[in-house]
Amino acid sequence: MTLSSTSARMGALAGAIATSAVLLFAAPQAHAASSRYYSVELSQPVEAKKAVVRGVVFQCEGTTCRAPLTSSAPRNVCASVAKEFGEVTSFSAGDRVLEAGDIATCNQKKKVILAKD
């Protein structure tokens, strides 16, 4: 093995280590920045400040709830939010805002709360 081939291998190893470090530390930061992917407005304030809906934690304050991206379709997330928290008045997933018809479909699936005797 010559000195130039050893230097090339060491350079490739250093590049791989640098790339791994960037991915290791940048990925969590990118995920943290996307923690506001879903934005939901509800008709009534919610009691729970946090709830897991479709595998993602929604954090709520008053009538507003937010959560990071999940692998579920926005309409399915909207329906699950309506079922968990009550009537949804607006729902956005990133840049996509659900229209009134989609929101009405979400609200058809909302949870029915039975009165306790």
Side-chain angles (χ1 to χ4, degrees):
M1 207 185 301
T2 64
L3 184 60
S4 63
S5 65
T6 302
S7 295
R9 287 185 181 173
M10 292 302 286
L13 179 62
I17 290 171
T19 301
S20 296
V22 167
L23 293 175
L24 178 66
F25 295 109
Q29 295 301 324
H31 178 69
S34 68
S35 67
R36 303 288 187 201
Y37 185 78
Y38 295 108
S39 181
V40 183
E41 284 295 323
L42 304 167
S43 64
Q44 299 290 322
V46 294
E47 291 179 22
K49 297 292 182 193
K50 291 184 182 180
V52 177
V53 177
R54 288 203 161 282
V56 67
V57 176
F58 273 80
Q59 296 186 348
C60 301
E61 187 175 318
T63 59
T64 303
C65 298
R66 299 191 194 297
L69 178 64
T70 184
S71 60
S72 298
R75 287 184 201 165
N76 294 338
V77 175
C78 181
S80 296
V81 167
K83 185 176 180 180
E84 180 69 30
F85 296 118
E87 185 177 356
V88 173
T89 58
S90 72
F91 184 94
S92 64
D95 294 336
R96 181 177 176 203
V97 177
L98 292 188
E99 295 183 15
D102 292 327
I103 291 174
T105 301
C106 293
N107 289 325
Q108 289 175 354
K109 315 244 180 193
K110 69 182 173 190
K111 178 170 43 178
V112 176
I113 299 172
L114 301 174
K116 294 181 182 179
D117 291 331

